Amino acid sequence: YSLYTRVEPGNSGGPLLTGDGAVAGVVFAKSVDDDQTGYALTVDEARPVLAAAPGATAAVSTGACTTD
């Protein structure tokens, strides 16, 4: 999803909720070009990653981050 909302540091991994409170996705990023745009994965996109998580044991880099 492309979201018309502000995503702040710490929001990543939080739920994207529908109007009735169901989880529709997972917030994962904010735009570097527009403070009012954020991004979320759908539940179906996140499901395979979540299913593989219990077996994931290797350390990973956080990569490059952007800051305001």
Side-chain angles (χ1 to χ4, degrees), residues 2-63:
S2 178
L3 313 170
Y4 181 70
T5 190
R6 193 171 176 91
V7 174
E8 298 292 339
N11 292 148
S12 295
L16 173 65
L17 303 175
T18 65
D20 61 357
V23 177
V26 179
V27 176
F28 75 90
K30 72 175 192 173
S31 172
V32 295
D33 299 321
D34 180 1
D35 283 345
Q36 295 298 317
T37 301
Y39 302 99
L41 296 172
T42 66
V43 170
D44 288 337
E45 290 171 322
R47 190 170 280 124
V49 177
L50 295 171
T57 58
V60 296
S61 169
T62 58

